Structures are given as C-alpha cells and as structure tokens.
Amino acid sequence: MKIIALAGNPNVGKSTVFNSLTGLHQHTGNWPGKTVSNASGKFKYNNKQYKIYDLPGTYSLISHSEEEEVARDFICFSKYDLIIVVCDAVCLERNLNLVLQTLEITKKVIVCVNLMDEAKKKKINIDLKKLSNILGVPVVGTSARNKNGINELLDNLENTDFNPIEIKYDEEVEDAINILIPYLEDKVKVLNPRWVAINLINYEESLYKKITSYLNYDLLKDKIIKNQLIYIKENGNYNIVDNLVKKSEQITKEVISYENKNYKQKDLKIDKITTSKLFGIPLMIAMLMVIFWLTIKGANYPSDLLFNFFSFLEIYILKFLEFLNIPQFLIDLLISGVYKVLSWVVAVMLPPMAIFFPLFTLLEDLGFLPRIAFNLDKMFKKCRACGKQALTMCMGFGCNAVGVSGARIIDSPRERLIAILTNVFVPCNGRFPTMITLITIFFIGINGNSFLSVIILTMVILLGFLLTFLVSYFLSKTILKGVPSSFTLELPPYRKPQIGKVIIRSIFDRILFVLGRAVVVAVPAGALIWLLANLHINDISLLNHICSFLDPFGKMIGMDGVILISFILGFPANEIVIPIILMAYMSTGNLVEYESLESLRTILVNNGWTITTAICVLIFSLCHFPCSTTCLTIKKETGSYKWTLLAIIIPTLIGLLLCFLINNISNFI
Amino acid sequence: MYLCDMEIGDKAIIKKIVAKDNIKRRLLDIGLIEGTNVECVLKSPFNDPIAYLIRGAIIAIRKEDCNKIEVDLI
Ligand SMILES: Nc1nc2c(ncn2[C@@H]2O[C@H](COP(=O)(O)OP(=O)(O)OP(=O)(O)O)[C@@H](O)[C@H]2O)c(=O)[nH]1
Ligand SMILES: [Mg+2]
C-alpha cells in the first residue's frame, strides 16, 4: 500500500482534496488553522490501495506553532511514498516557497494547484505545464470543491517522473553547504545530508532537537562539525529562506500572468465595512444575534412536534412493556426514568443544536471568523493574549473540546494556555440549548417575544466574552506572566458557502452526535436519577436525602440540591442538565400533567423557582467546570493535571461567586 | 518610514527588517523580506492590527511588529 501525505499552506483546500479522494468528511472551513492534527483515510484507484494523510497547514518547515510542528514532523521524519503539496492558485508565489522547501527533503512530490476556479474568476492565468517543467515534478490543477481535476490527480499518483530542480543558493551558502556535507554523509544516512547541512546553517532549535532525536545523535557534539559550523558562521550571514522566497518570485514571474491586477478589490470593499471603526464590532454582534434569532425561532416548531411525538409514542411503549409482563418497577424505571430524559434531550435540546451549528458553519465557510479575530485582536493584546484566541472561541461555540485543541494555532505556549483555560466561557453546543430552553420556558414563554430572548441570550454570551477577557488578563498578570508575542494572521478571501451541502452535512452530523451522546449519557443518568428518587431509606427517597444535604449550599447560590446534582450528572454531557432537573422534580411527587413545553414552566415554579433561580442557573451553565470530554482534551493538550485542574476550578469558582452575589443582591431587593 | 506608518492605499517596498528572530521567521514564511512590495489595505476598528497585501495574500500584523520594519513609499 502506498502512503501519501497532503501538505501545504493553511486554508488552501488540503482537507477538501482529502475528502474528494477518500470520500470521507474531514472538517473544512474557510480560515487558516481548521485542521490541527493528522487525519488519515484509505482509497483505491486502478486496483491500487492508498493510504493518505491530511496534514495541518504550515507556511514553512520551520515550525512556530504546535499544529505546524505536526505537519513538519510528518514531512521531515515520516516514511511515505509521495507528498502532494497543495497550493493556492491565487497566491501561488508564497505557496511555492513550501514546495521548494519540500523538494529539499524528498523528490517524490506532486504539486496540486488548487482553487483554480477562483484564479480563473480573478483572471489569473497559470501555465501549469511550464511550472511542471521548471519544478521538474508533476503539476496538476484542481478545483477540489467541485471535484475538478481530481481524476487527473489520481492518474498522476503512479507517475514517477520526478526530476526536481536543484535549488541553488547564493554562492556563499553553497560553499558552506559543501563544506559540511562530507562530514555529515556518514552520520545522517537516513536523512538527506544536504537538507541537514542547510538546517545546521539555518539553525532553528526545535527542528534541530527533532533531528537529534531522530538520528539519535547530537551532530553539534561532534567536534569537527561544530568547528566547521563556527567557521562558516563567522564568515557570513546566511539568509537561506530569503533565497527560496526570491526563487519562488522568479518562478512565478515565468508562469503567471494577470489580466486584472486589482483582483482583490471586491473582497476589500466588503472588508472595509466588516472591519470599519463604526460598524466592525456592532456588525459582529448583530450577526450573532441573527443566528440566535433564527435558532430560537426555528427550534420552537420542531421541538413541539418532537415533544408531541414522544408523548404519543410513550403510550404505546407503555402498553408494549405491560404486554411483556415486565415488573412494574422496571417499567417505571424505563418510562419515567430513561425514556423521559432521553426524549427531553432529543425534543428540547436537539433542535437548537441542529439549527445553530449549521448556521455557524455557514459563517465559518464564508470566511467571517478571521475578521472577528482581526477586529478583536487589540483587546486580546490588552489582555496580553493572542487574537487567534477569538478563533478558538468561535470553535468553542461548536464544542469546547474542539476549541481547546484548536488552540494549537497559537504560537506562544503561554498564550495558548490562556486560550485553553478560558475556552469554557464560550457556551458550547451542549450548553447553548440549555440557555435557550431556560430563557424560552422561564423568561419569555413559548409564544413570547423571541427578540427579547435573543437580547437576553446575547447578554449572557457577552458576559462570557467579558469573563474571557478578564480571566485572560488576570492569568497574564499572575501565573502566566508575560508580554504578548508577535502575531500574523491571514485574512482569506470570502467564499460563497455551499449552502445546501453544509446544512445537510452539519445537521446530519449534529443529529448523529447528539443521539449518540444521548444514548450513552442520558440513559444511565436518567436511570440513576430515577433510582435515587424511588429508592427509599426511612421513607425518604435517596434523592431527597442527597438534596437536603446539598440544599443549603444550593440555596446560598440561588439554586437548590436538584440543580446541583443535575450539573454534576451533566459532567459527561451538558445537554442533559435541564432534562434531569425536570425529571427529578417530577419524580419527587409534584406530579404535573405535561402536555406541552408550556407545562414545563409550571413544574419549575411548583418547585420553588423564581427569576433569581433562573438567572443563577443561566449564569452557572455559562461558568462551571468543562464537560468530561473537554477535560480529557485539556489534559491531552497541556499534558498536565495541574492545568486541567485549574481549567476546572477557575470557571466553577467564578460561577459560584457570581451566583452567590446575584442571590444576595436579589434577597436584598 | 515604518510599515505601521502607512495609510490605507499606500504602497511601499520593504527596506529593512530589524525584528527579533521569532517574528522575522514568521514574516519570512509569508514572503515578507527586504525588497518585497506591500500595500496597506485594512485597519482594524482599533487601528491595530493592520492588514497588508503581501504577495497576493492579505496578512494582519500587529503594530509592535510593524514598527520594526522600515519601508520606502512608492
Ligand atoms: N472555490 C473553491 N473553494 C475551495 C476549493 N477547495 C477548497 N475550497 C474552500 O476553501 C476553504 C478551505 O478548505 P480546507 O480544505 O479546509 O483547507 P485546508 O488546507 O485543509 O485548511 P487548514 O486545515 O486550515 O490548513 C474551504 O472553505 C473550502 O470549501 C476549490 O477548489 N474552490
Ligand atoms: Mg484542513
């Protein structure tokens, strides 16, 4: 089986090429840094088996951030039969830099010039044949999103016509390389000695360490090599990559012609508005509010429908279970425990998730997210953090675990940690419907003014942003001291999202995901809470025992024991919190006929909920410990229990404090 | 004149980069070296960072980094 890797600059369509080759659904998005770890897939073509890796994007083989390191390590130190370097046809010049760097390591390169459709639209002509002649490796033009050129790419997989150009550096660089090579040849058999020589001259610590561990030999400990290197360094200043940049420039001049030099103007016109002093930030908030409004409005109807469907189905399931002669105890457990929680998760939580997520994906595909980072960077800098944290926060809306691993795109380890520790202040897709449900059933009412719901929700989200800034600032002043590091961010062109495809794909994704989680988490949690409510000691249920123990504490922060237990049980998946709360209330005797969502409010009120309770639950669902998946991801990304623990403690403490304050203030009033 | 002093629409050529290694490498990655043509295209709402057109891509750079890059207007 042949092993192929897809490398290239960020956001050039590597994952899209990967998907069209394998038929898989690796996530894509119109911003640099979507893919942060290797993904692999298999496919067959002309009776040959291939295994292909989708690497994170990287500008060069000298890495700066974690995800670039992943890509670099693969290209430099892994075994493969072929590397496809994917390039952006619209800015080929910069992409060629990476092509040239890759050619220093291996000959087995195919250049895939992607986004040909965009180049065509912008009237940029590229002579692919000439490019192939100059580079000495196969060059294929593709528009991966429309699957154009993919067949030609496939046909070239067995092409072994590699005769890459020899990249000649300035004379003094070449001299230096030639001095080193003889000493390296017998020591670095597994690597290309010329490449190692170049990297010794152009010393970069993390890469050097990798070379050392790969060779299991520290080249600089070798006296002769070390002395030669000192001699070389004394005799000149070597700008190796400068050479490559100039070479790329030269090649580009030969193969590209522009019919319209001002092809960026249309995008820039839009950007002038989205990043303007007056409209930039209000527009972002307005965009968010529109999405919220669509989510809230759109979720009501399917929610009601599902709700009725499940109540309808319940009767028949009940009949069926009775028919099977199952003991009453078990029937109650299954129906009032498991079935109820499960159906609430699906009916109440699923619709907002299934609407919000695709909408957000559209925004992502449009290319809006990097503009958010651009607009907000100054604020992050004030907090001594990185503007790319805005991107990880956006990912957090989908899932905090993704936001946490997405923090790899941040170069500085200190700023990356800040982004990881604060990601939980963005409500993920699991907590988001909790908030919407609370707002809808408690504050507004099902048929109430959804605009008001949007305002409340937006305020909660903005509070989350505020907390992110405050905590980031606090962290940089205390345990993560430091100054903001440098920052470059590419703003990709706006791209028209493939609306139909995105919506279908992400709704499908969400439904499967939520249903999967619902079964895994909601079923045992539902059973457990039912058992607690129905097993008695001294005539008082276990749930009551626990609640009366937790109640005083819960009351201090404006909630009660049931709510606290629900949050704890919601550790594996936040979307079960509200269903568990409702079920626990219902099973403790305050029986309410629930015909519709409207009756849920009555359940809450009957159990002592006031406006304060609802606000506190809202705030606490914004700030409390991250879910179990996120905690595991934090552990994996930071490699430390200390940081994971901190990531749990910080939001929980803040949440408790806020709720405590709110409760006291409202008591006072 | 420095990169950060450019106004929107200004075009310039990079004269000298006196930045630290770290940012210098980043700039090199995106093809910003001495002699490169740049155009200032966008300023963020708080005037920092500023985005430039560099070799066909729009790249945002913070003030702290721009003010170490000398340019000549063209
Ligand atoms: N018009 C057009 N858009 C494309 C094409 N290929 C990819 N795209 C879009 O370009 C964007 C980036 O694609 P990805 O596949 O996520 O890029 P990537 O190289 O994997 O990006 P990173 O993982 O961030 O490095 C997405 O919005 C794609 O839909 C193409 O051939 N034509
Ligand atoms: Mg990708």
Side-chain angles (χ1 to χ4, degrees):
Chain A
M1 190 166 47
K2 270 200 169 180
I3 296 179
I4 306 175
L6 284 166
N9 282 182
N11 204 36
V12 295
K14 297 175 295 299
S15 301
T16 312
V17 172
F18 176 86
N19 288 346
S20 52
L21 287 175
T22 58
L24 293 173
H25 300 284
Q26 167 80 337
H27 290 289
T28 63
N30 187 14
W31 55 284
K34 178 74 186 177
T35 311
V36 292
S37 60
N38 294 341
S40 71
K42 285 181 186 156
F43 67 95
K44 222 171 157 175
Y45 185 71
N46 276 345
N47 288 323
K48 287 210 172 64
Q49 281 277 352
Y50 298 93
K51 179 166 190 184
I52 185 160
Y53 286 88
D54 178 23
L55 308 184
T58 178
Y59 287 109
S60 78
L61 295 182
I62 296 159
S63 62
H64 302 266
S65 51
E66 193 77 18
E67 106 274 19
E68 288 184 299
E69 198 162 297
V70 171
R72 181 207 62 197
D73 286 351
F74 196 97
I75 300 171
C76 298
F77 306 112
S78 290
K79 286 215 164 20
Y80 43 77
D81 299 291
L82 181 68
I83 286 205
I84 300 176
V85 181
V86 184
C87 296
D88 177 351
V90 179
C91 47
L92 189 62
E93 183 176 343
R94 194 196 60 215
N95 287 250
L96 280 180
N97 195 353
L98 185 71
V99 174
L100 296 179
Q101 287 186 35
T102 312
L103 283 173
E104 306 252 40
I105 296 176
T106 172
K107 305 197 277 194
K108 295 171 284 184
V109 170
I110 291 184
V111 176
C112 164
V113 182
N114 190 36
L115 296 153
M116 286 299 276
D117 55 326
E118 279 190 4
K120 197 170 162 200
K121 220 186 266 161
K122 292 176 173 159
K123 298 210 162 66
I124 301 172
N125 303 319
I126 306 173
D127 188 341
L128 295 174
K129 207 154 172 138
K130 196 164 178 190
L131 183 62
S132 172
N133 283 338
I134 296 174
L135 294 174
V137 294
V139 174
V140 182
T142 59
S143 306
R145 213 164 79 165
N146 325 321
K147 301 223 163 31
N148 276 343
I150 296 297
N151 277 329
E152 201 189 330
L153 184 62
L154 284 164
D155 287 333
N156 271 289
L157 293 181
E158 294 299 324
N159 189 341
T160 46
D161 190 12
F162 304 118
N163 202 352
I165 43 164
E166 287 183 16
I167 299 148
K168 282 265 175 266
Y169 296 98
D170 296 345
E171 207 174 312
E172 54 178 357
V173 178
E174 286 296 334
D175 287 347
I177 294 173
N178 288 331
I179 294 176
L180 284 174
I181 286 184
Y183 302 102
L184 294 172
E185 249 159 2
D186 53 328
K187 299 211 167 60
V188 298
K189 283 181 203 99
V190 276
L191 292 171
N192 176 349
R194 186 180 158 89
W195 179 74
V196 176
I198 291 169
N199 278 294
L200 283 178
I201 300 167
N202 192 35
Y203 181 83
E204 198 266 334
E205 187 165 326
S206 96
L207 182 54
Y208 178 73
K209 275 189 184 147
K210 275 275 151 57
I211 294 178
T212 305
S213 76
Y214 186 75
L215 294 174
N216 212 352
Y217 182 79
D218 192 341
L219 290 168
L220 290 183
K221 285 250 166 71
D222 188 309
K223 275 252 163 56
I224 309 176
I225 297 179
K226 175 131 205 200
N227 287 337
Q228 290 296 345
L229 210 59
I230 292 174
Y231 167 78
I232 289 170
K233 288 264 158 97
E234 275 168 1
N235 280 291
N237 207 349
Y238 305 93
N239 288 325
I240 293 200
V241 193
D242 271 29
N243 274 279
L244 293 184
V245 173
K246 281 179 191 143
K247 185 90 198 165
S248 311
E249 191 178 302
Q250 195 188 327
I251 296 176
T252 318
K253 276 208 181 102
E254 284 184 53
V255 300
I256 292 197
S257 61
Y258 300 89
E259 279 174 45
N260 171 14
K261 277 262 176 197
N262 292 325
Y263 59 89
K264 287 271 169 197
Q265 292 312 319
K266 203 172 132 207
D267 267 353
L268 280 174
K269 262 195 199 126
I270 305 175
D271 272 333
K272 288 253 156 68
I273 301 168
T274 53
T275 66
S276 79
K277 276 194 188 45
L278 207 56
F279 299 116
I281 288 175
L283 202 70
M284 280 164 31
I285 296 175
M287 203 82 117
L288 207 61
M289 287 174 77
V290 170
I291 293 190
F292 290 163
W293 187 79
L294 287 171
T295 308
I296 291 173
K297 261 290 195 225
N300 274 346
Y301 183 66
S303 251
D304 248 359
L305 218 62
L306 283 168
F307 211 80
N308 291 335
F309 171 72
F310 280 117
S311 326
F312 168 79
L313 204 62
E314 186 179 328
I315 304 167
Y316 291 94
I317 296 181
L318 196 66
K319 282 216 175 100
F320 180 67
L321 289 177
E322 275 165 356
F323 168 77
L324 289 180
N325 253 335
I326 291 174
Q328 187 60 36
F329 170 78
L330 213 58
I331 292 182
D332 282 350
L333 172 75
L334 286 176
I335 294 289
S336 312
V338 173
Y339 183 77
K340 208 156 274 173
V341 170
L342 196 63
S343 59
W344 273 334
V345 168
V346 176
V348 184
M349 299 292 143
L350 181 59
M353 292 166 113
I355 295 174
F356 179 79
F357 198 70
L359 287 177
F360 206 78
T361 314
L362 285 181
L363 218 52
E364 183 185 347
D365 263 19
L366 187 66
F368 197 66
L369 305 193
R371 273 77 189 178
I372 299 181
F374 181 62
N375 283 346
L376 294 181
D377 178 61
K378 177 87 181 250
M379 297 210 225
F380 283 104
K381 192 170 81 181
K382 280 249 157 72
C383 306
R384 298 164 182 240
C386 176
K388 287 183 188 167
Q389 193 172 332
L391 295 172
T392 66
M393 285 165 71
C394 288
M395 291 299 96
F397 270 116
C399 167
N400 288 131
V402 175
V404 166
S405 50
R408 289 183 185 182
I409 58 172
I410 296 172
D411 299 4
S412 134
R414 183 187 72 84
E415 289 163 11
R416 179 169 165 226
L417 263 175
I418 292 178
I420 290 176
L421 293 180
T422 56
N423 196 266
V424 69
F425 292 115
V426 178
C428 65
N429 217 325
R431 289 182 285 155
F432 193 64
T434 304
M435 297 177 170
I436 293 186
T437 314
L438 268 180
I439 293 172
T440 319
I441 65 179
F442 205 86
F443 291 98
I444 312 292
I446 308 297
N447 297 313
N449 184 350
S450 34
F451 187 66
L452 206 58
S453 314
V454 171
I455 303 267
I456 298 178
L457 187 61
T458 309
M459 272 162 37
V460 177
I461 305 291
L462 290 181
L463 173 70
F465 288 0
L466 181 70
L467 287 171
T468 304
F469 286 123
L470 289 177
V471 173
S472 300
Y473 182 78
F474 180 76
L475 286 172
S476 342
K477 282 285 177 189
T478 53
I479 40 178
L480 286 168
K481 261 203 189 97
V483 287
S485 63
S486 61
F487 160 90
T488 54
L489 173 72
E490 183 167 354
L491 303 178
Y494 289 105
R495 293 192 169 121
K496 206 167 111 216
Q498 295 172 297
I499 297 178
K501 204 170 152 198
V502 166
I503 291 182
I504 292 172
R505 187 73 237 144
S506 51
I507 288 187
F508 197 60
D509 239 36
R510 271 303 100 171
I511 292 180
L512 282 185
F513 180 75
V514 174
L515 286 183
R517 268 225 315 210
V519 174
V520 174
V521 177
V523 168
L528 178 68
I529 199 91
W530 189 88
L531 284 173
L532 288 179
N534 287 280
L535 295 179
H536 295 75
I537 297 178
N538 301 335
D539 269 352
I540 301 173
S541 74
L542 279 174
L543 187 63
N544 270 345
H545 276 294
I546 301 175
C547 285
S548 53
F549 173 73
L550 284 174
D551 249 358
F553 179 62
K555 289 263 151 48
M556 253 167 60
I557 51 173
M559 300 189 264
D560 63 25
V562 169
I563 303 173
L564 288 184
I565 292 184
S566 306
F567 271 112
I568 293 168
L569 284 179
F571 180 56
N574 276 287
E575 58 266 32
I576 69 169
V577 170
I578 294 274
I580 293 278
I581 291 177
L582 290 169
M583 208 222 98
Y585 285 150
M586 290 184 64
S587 57
T588 48
N590 292 301
L591 270 182
V592 176
E593 283 303 313
Y594 66 98
E595 258 101 47
S596 68
L597 289 171
E598 210 64 80
S599 57
L600 297 180
R601 183 170 202 276
T602 326
I603 302 177
L604 296 179
V605 173
N606 283 353
N607 281 280
W609 277 48
T610 60
I611 289 280
T612 313
T613 323
I615 294 177
C616 287
V617 176
L618 209 54
I619 299 288
F620 199 66
S621 70
L622 176 72
C623 334
H624 68 286
F625 40 84
C627 75
S628 57
T629 319
T630 308
C631 286
L632 286 176
T633 312
I634 295 173
K635 167 72 188 37
K636 195 173 134 230
E637 293 295 314
T638 60
S640 120
Y641 284 108
K642 189 182 95 187
W643 293 119
T644 315
L645 199 63
L646 211 61
I648 296 173
I649 292 174
I650 294 173
T652 314
L653 263 185
I654 292 179
L656 292 177
L657 196 71
L658 284 178
C659 291
F660 178 77
L661 285 176
I662 291 169
N663 186 38
N664 277 343
I665 291 170
S666 86
N667 282 346
F668 197 68
I669 297 168
Chain B
M1 175 162 184
Y2 291 91
L3 194 58
C4 58
D5 303 326
M6 289 170 71
E7 289 302 324
I8 291 184
D10 284 354
K11 291 181 184 165
I13 200 158
I14 304 288
K15 201 161 100 189
K16 196 161 182 222
I17 303 175
V18 278
K20 278 202 297 265
D21 257 12
N22 197 338
I23 176 68
K24 204 164 174 175
R25 285 225 160 95
R26 260 281 173 228
L27 296 172
L28 202 61
D29 279 0
I30 53 169
L32 193 87
I33 56 171
E34 280 151 33
T36 308
N37 283 313
V38 295
E39 180 184 342
C40 178
V41 288
L42 288 173
K43 292 194 174 182
S44 79
F46 305 107
N47 274 331
D48 176 24
I50 303 174
Y52 302 89
L53 183 62
I54 301 167
R55 295 187 194 273
I58 298 176
I59 314 268
I61 309 177
R62 276 183 180 169
K63 263 205 173 126
E64 285 74 19
D65 303 320
C66 297
N67 66 16
K68 293 177 191 116
I69 303 169
E70 270 184 66
V71 297
D72 277 331
L73 281 187
I74 45 176

